[in-house]
Amino acid sequence: MAETALIVGASGIVGSATARRMADEGWRVLGLARRPLPQPGVTPVAADLQDPASLQAALAEHRPDVVVLATWLRQPTEAENIRVNAGMVRNLLDALCSAGSVRHVALVTGLKHYLGPFEAYSAGHPPETPLREDQPRLDLPNFYYDQEDAVFAAAARDGFTWSVHRPHTIIGRAVGNAMNIGGTLAVYATLCRETGRPFRFPGSQMQWDGLSDLTDARLLASHILWAATTPAAVNQAFNVVNGDVVRWRGLWGRLAEWFDLAPAEFDGETRPLEPQLADAGPVWREIAARDGLAEPDIGRLASAWHTDLDLGRPIEVVTDMSRSRRLGFTGYQPTEDAFRDLFEAMRRDRLIP
């Protein structure tokens, strides 16, 4: 009998890729969300992670073998991020405890584990790079740490194994996602072409010149499946990146080319996207109406605030994947191809013209 995976956040950038990958591999896939979207091969489960009674009722008939936690809710302070997001992990695992079916839980976090929470992102003494999984936690409140601790406590109580997956900036298709660099850059490029404004790199000189790596959501999905089915990989945390490194000064022009744009020369000045896109909603609605796009709300395609965080960092960030490689994970995804695949999918799905 096929194993069952419960994907929490199945409509998000990571959850949707993981649901597709596991369904393609023959798993029975349950997709939990407050408002589940139809997805091929995924059985929807509607529940509110902040409501224990809702979870108990929604999960009563299900006995998942593997749980993938790929969701979070952004809050105004890190204290609230901790309260809400760690609480959601505890609520879910408490609701599954009585069934006794769960053998593995995969938690998706990210490189803020090393760089600090949003309130102190890249502040203070920069971490040693390339980032390695054995680097100690920062002496800062961080909801990733509290989510991990909630998983560790439930694992000790219920006897399941776990894995933690720390991607860098994720490239993937999702609508309504809070952290979506690919969708944000696609919207920005489309607006530049529409309005004639220069397609200028919005980030810092350090990010323009320095090395960086990124994570394709499809590769992350493969990594999650690998960790859940590889005995040697359990009870470990892993960095997950594409396997190549890029410099934005080289990548930017190739992204511009896909949109038939000439990239503007970078003059070293940081020009964040959030203020640039703040008043772009009406223009986007006009484009959507004219070209028959599926999503007229620019806020559901672009998350400029998060793209600004990543592209505006004053430090170089690259990631070590030796732990996964030593255990046999060989997945690789060229970053430029990841962007191009995403842009093609967004055009095919009528998200960009």
Side-chain angles (χ1 to χ4, degrees), residues 195-325:
T195 64
R197 75 170 72 177
F199 185 60
R200 180 180 287 113
F201 181 70
S204 68
Q205 186 78 54
M206 174 60 79
Q207 292 307 304
W208 180 252
D209 288 330
L211 290 173
S212 187
D213 47 25
L214 295 94
T215 306
D216 189 309
R218 298 168 299 182
L219 181 131
L220 177 54
S222 296
H223 194 275
I224 291 168
L225 177 58
W226 167 79
T229 55
T230 301
V234 302
N235 298 342
Q236 297 192 66
F238 297 99
N239 296 328
V240 191
V241 289
N242 287 339
D244 63 356
V245 291
V246 299
R247 297 186 198 273
W248 280 101
R249 70 185 186 201
L251 181 60
W252 194 251
R254 295 193 289 275
L255 299 186
E257 183 180 289
W258 196 91
F259 291 94
D260 297 321
L261 290 168
E265 183 177 349
F266 180 62
D267 61 6
E269 182 178 346
T270 302
R271 294 179 173 86
L273 287 176
E274 192 166 23
Q276 290 193 58
L277 301 185
D279 60 354
V283 177
W284 188 261
R285 284 193 294 272
E286 291 175 7
I287 296 171
R290 183 193 67 204
D291 294 332
L293 301 186
E295 182 51 72
D297 182 354
I298 191 173
R300 289 181 54 75
L301 296 174
S303 51
W305 70 274
H306 187 262
T307 298
D308 287 340
L309 277 176
D310 280 355
L311 298 186
R313 287 184 301 221
I315 58 173
E316 184 178 86
V317 178
V318 289
T319 313
D320 182 87
M321 270 195 71
S322 297
R323 180 174 287 179
S324 293
R325 302 303 188 210

Side-chain angles (χ1 to χ4, degrees), residues 154-178:
R157 178 191 68 196
D158 300 336
F160 58 74
T161 60
W162 53 267
S163 55
V164 176
H165 305 261
R166 299 172 185 158
H168 200 166
T169 304
I170 299 172
I171 307 164
R173 184 198 178 285
V175 176
N177 190 264

Side-chain angles (χ1 to χ4, degrees), residues 12-22 24-25 165 167-174 214-226 240-242 329 331-346 348:
I13 198 166
V14 175
S16 60
T18 305
R20 285 192 300 271
R21 178 59 196 274
M22 298 188 85
D24 288 346
E25 292 292 324
H165 305 261
H168 200 166
T169 304
I170 299 172
I171 307 164
R173 184 198 178 285
L214 295 94
T215 306
D216 189 309
R218 298 168 299 182
L219 181 131
L220 177 54
S222 296
H223 194 275
I224 291 168
L225 177 58
W226 167 79
V240 191
V241 289
N242 287 339
F329 181 77
Y332 172 80
Q333 170 63 56
T335 294
E336 183 178 341
D337 292 354
F339 276 113
R340 290 177 177 271
D341 290 350
L342 171 62
F343 298 155
E344 289 169 3
M346 292 182 72
R348 184 175 61 247

Side-chain angles (χ1 to χ4, degrees), residues 1-282:
M1 180 180 295
E3 287 197 287
T4 298
L6 173 66
I7 313 294
V8 183
S11 58
I13 198 166
V14 175
S16 60
T18 305
R20 285 192 300 271
R21 178 59 196 274
M22 298 188 85
D24 288 346
E25 292 292 324
W27 288 63
R28 178 173 177 259
V29 179
L30 309 172
L32 188 149
R34 282 176 296 172
R35 293 177 293 277
L37 300 175
Q39 295 172 264
V42 178
T43 300
V45 178
D48 184 347
L49 290 169
Q50 297 186 78
D51 182 351
S54 164
L55 284 167
Q56 291 283 354
L59 295 171
E61 62 184 272
H62 299 297
R63 296 179 59 83
D65 302 282
V66 170
V67 176
V68 179
L69 290 159
T71 191
W72 72 292
L73 286 176
R74 186 186 179 194
Q75 304 299 314
T77 67
E78 192 61 18
E80 278 297 288
N81 273 326
I82 290 169
R83 184 186 67 81
V84 170
N85 290 288
M88 292 193 303
V89 172
R90 286 191 293 271
N91 289 344
L92 176 77
L93 298 179
D94 287 350
L96 292 169
C97 178
S98 60
S101 64
V102 177
R103 65 166 183 80
H104 186 81
V105 171
L107 172 66
V108 180
T109 61
L111 296 196
K112 287 185 293 299
H113 183 94
Y114 312 105
L115 300 175
F118 294 122
E119 291 179 359
Y121 192 59
S122 301
H125 186 70
E128 182 71 22
T129 57
L131 301 172
R132 299 173 62 93
E133 296 95 343
D134 58 4
Q135 291 175 212
R137 289 180 175 183
L138 301 174
D139 188 19
L140 291 168
N142 190 324
F143 79 86
Y144 284 172
Y145 304 161
D146 293 81
Q147 285 184 310
E148 285 185 348
D149 289 344
V151 171
F152 301 158
R157 178 191 68 196
D158 300 336
F160 58 74
T161 60
W162 53 267
S163 55
V164 176
H165 305 261
R166 299 172 185 158
H168 200 166
T169 304
I170 299 172
I171 307 164
R173 184 198 178 285
V175 176
N177 190 264
M179 298 188 293
N180 190 342
I181 192 172
T184 302
L185 294 181
V187 166
Y188 176 50
T190 300
L191 289 167
C192 288
R193 190 176 60 193
E194 179 76 15
T195 64
R197 75 170 72 177
F199 185 60
R200 180 180 287 113
F201 181 70
S204 68
Q205 186 78 54
M206 174 60 79
Q207 292 307 304
W208 180 252
D209 288 330
L211 290 173
S212 187
D213 47 25
L214 295 94
T215 306
D216 189 309
R218 298 168 299 182
L219 181 131
L220 177 54
S222 296
H223 194 275
I224 291 168
L225 177 58
W226 167 79
T229 55
T230 301
V234 302
N235 298 342
Q236 297 192 66
F238 297 99
N239 296 328
V240 191
V241 289
N242 287 339
D244 63 356
V245 291
V246 299
R247 297 186 198 273
W248 280 101
R249 70 185 186 201
L251 181 60
W252 194 251
R254 295 193 289 275
L255 299 186
E257 183 180 289
W258 196 91
F259 291 94
D260 297 321
L261 290 168
E265 183 177 349
F266 180 62
D267 61 6
E269 182 178 346
T270 302
R271 294 179 173 86
L273 287 176
E274 192 166 23
Q276 290 193 58
L277 301 185
D279 60 354

